[in-house]
Amino acid sequence: MVQAFRRLAVTVFLLFFVVPDSNALASTSPESALEQADQSEQAQAAEGESDGAPIDLMGKISDHHYLDVMGYHLELPRIILAGGQWHFYGSTHAAVESGRFTEDHGALTYTGEGEIALDMSITSHLMFFWFAVGLTGLLTLMAVRRYDKGVGRETAPRGWFHNLFEITFLFVRDDIARGNIPESKYRKFLPYLFCAFVSITFMNLFGLLPWGVTATADLTVTGTLAFMTFFLTQWNGSKDHWEHVFWFPGVPGWMRIILTPIELLGLFTKPIALAVRLFANMLSGKIMIIIVLGLIFIFADGFGTTVGIGTSFLAVPLTVLMYVLKAFVGVLQAYIFTLLSAVFIGMAVEEHEHHDEAVEAHA
């Protein structure tokens, strides 16, 4: 049922966004078409609007160099390495006004010799990533101060915030960290796992706000999180872990030639799967909400206001339902990412002690 609905929604999206208006194309001369295209490009560059579409899907899900928060428009700094030197500007407009860059649909082009070698500009996805991590740190410090005062240690936790924080922490500690990492080593990785779970949850839920951005719908964000898990896993890998990658105790030598490349490939497929799973789930959920709610404007634009209003009686309740589902999926995906990270770390740091097991089996 869900797959059928997704196919229907994607089909409607393709019909109204991708398929051109054949009548308009037939009745437009080449000269007027070029003139209209030029005017459309200028309007899009100046106002950031879509080219006649009822809703701008790509504009909603893509990364930007500005923030639109609660009715306020905030330009973000541009930090660019071009022509062998760094350029710092307070906004994209300031970079264009300097005369060293030109803008084309939000992308800057260097006008001097050479080209842009590295773009370290601040983006909306990066800002919401920082918001999530900063909020996680702030809430943790607030809870630590309470524990330092004895609240939660000598007495029961007080207030909904303290109780929710302790429930979350105990859940990550007992069900995720302790359940998958050896008892003697899980405490070392508990801070990372707790921070990852709470931060990813915040990033996923921020996207439900009308002005919010889902940072985890960006592959660079999920890739960075997966790399951190990969680094911790390999850096803390035990001797037994690396023996199973390169040596395979008890395996014939000719089999090692086959198994070693497979194990090496497996080291990298695990973090790739972490990144792609989180990215794909959050991006698809956001697209589905935009498409379903956008059906109101699509049908109103194509068939009139009355049809659009009629569509709203179906689209709005369905959107509310999908919001609830996306909130659940946001927490679930944070749990899955953290759980798999704990599983990968636990597999790497565990000592199997094959020699002792072989001796006991022989005895």
Side-chain angles (χ1 to χ4, degrees):
M1 181 65 180
V2 175
Q3 292 181 352
F5 176 74
R6 287 184 176 179
R7 293 192 186 101
L8 176 61
V10 172
T11 302
V12 173
F13 165 73
L14 292 176
L15 287 175
F16 285 91
F17 284 85
V18 179
V19 178
D21 189 348
S22 58
N23 294 329
L25 291 178
S27 61
T28 304
S29 63
E31 293 79 11
S32 61
L34 291 174
E35 182 178 357
Q36 292 176 1
D38 183 66
Q39 293 176 354
S40 176
E41 290 179 0
Q42 292 177 359
Q44 186 174 14
E47 301 176 4
E49 298 179 351
S50 61
D51 51 352
I55 57 174
D56 183 11
L57 178 62
M58 295 306 299
K60 296 294 184 182
I61 64 176
S62 59
D63 204 3
H64 300 288
H65 296 284
Y66 59 84
L67 286 178
D68 286 324
V69 180
M70 304 171 81
Y72 294 95
H73 183 82
L74 176 64
E75 292 285 340
L76 298 175
R78 303 302 300 263
I79 306 172
I80 302 171
L81 175 61
Q85 59 180 348
W86 287 96
H87 303 270
F88 300 89
Y89 302 99
S91 64
T92 301
H93 178 73
V96 175
E97 288 294 320
S98 68
R100 298 179 178 179
F101 297 89
T102 58
E103 181 186 7
D104 182 17
H105 300 286
L108 293 180
T109 303
Y110 188 54
T111 58
E113 296 183 359
E115 56 185 21
I116 296 178
L118 185 63
D119 190 350
M120 297 291 291
S121 302
I122 308 300
T123 65
S124 56
H125 287 169
L126 180 60
M127 289 296 298
F128 274 85
F129 175 84
W130 287 346
F131 290 158
V133 175
L135 184 58
T136 301
L138 177 62
L139 296 179
T140 303
L141 290 177
M142 292 172 58
V144 168
R145 291 182 179 179
R146 291 197 175 194
Y147 284 114
D148 289 340
K149 295 178 180 179
V151 180
R153 300 175 61 183
E154 301 173 359
T155 62
R158 300 175 184 174
W160 67 269
F161 162 72
H162 200 176
N163 280 277
L164 180 61
F165 181 90
E166 184 159 318
I167 290 172
T168 305
F169 182 83
L170 292 179
F171 169 72
V172 175
R173 187 193 69 181
D174 297 337
D175 292 356
I176 298 179
R178 183 180 289 178
N180 297 281
I181 303 175
E183 185 72 22
S184 60
K185 299 181 179 181
Y186 81 91
R187 292 182 179 274
K188 179 179 180 181
F189 306 99
L190 184 57
Y192 167 70
L193 295 175
F194 177 76
C195 181
F197 175 76
V198 178
S199 298
I200 293 174
T201 300
F202 280 141
M203 282 186 275
N204 294 345
L205 297 183
F206 280 160
L208 297 176
L209 300 174
W211 41 264
V213 174
T214 307
T216 45
D218 190 329
L219 191 57
T220 59
V221 174
T222 59
T224 301
L225 295 170
F227 175 78
M228 294 174 66
T229 296
F230 172 78
F231 176 79
L232 286 175
T233 301
Q234 309 312 322
W235 181 264
N236 295 279
S238 63
K239 179 181 177 182
D240 185 75
H241 167 71
W242 291 111
E243 283 183 351
H244 279 77
V245 173
F246 294 105
W247 188 247
F248 298 99
V251 176
W254 63 272
M255 285 291 294
R256 294 170 184 165
I257 301 177
I258 302 175
L259 295 177
T260 298
I262 296 176
E263 286 295 325
L264 286 174
L265 183 62
L267 295 180
F268 298 97
T269 55
K270 292 174 183 176
I272 292 175
L274 276 179
V276 174
R277 179 186 291 106
L278 180 58
F279 159 74
N281 278 279
M282 301 316 301
L283 180 62
S284 62
K286 189 170 185 178
I287 291 176
M288 288 299 298
I289 289 178
I290 296 173
I291 290 178
V292 172
L293 190 60
L295 288 176
I296 301 173
F297 307 98
I298 293 174
F299 281 102
D301 184 72
F303 304 102
T305 305
T306 304
V307 177
I309 296 175
T311 306
S312 65
F313 289 101
L314 174 64
V316 172
L318 189 57
T319 301
V320 173
L321 178 62
M322 295 191 66
Y323 255 82
V324 176
L325 180 62
K326 191 172 186 294
F328 170 75
V329 171
V331 179
L332 178 64
Q333 289 302 317
Y335 167 72
I336 293 175
F337 185 96
T338 310
L339 177 65
L340 291 179
S341 296
V343 170
F344 297 154
I345 293 173
M347 293 170 60
V349 302
E350 186 177 8
E351 298 285 353
H352 296 284
E353 301 183 4
H354 297 283
H355 178 70
D356 294 343
E357 292 177 359
V359 172
E360 292 178 2
H362 179 73

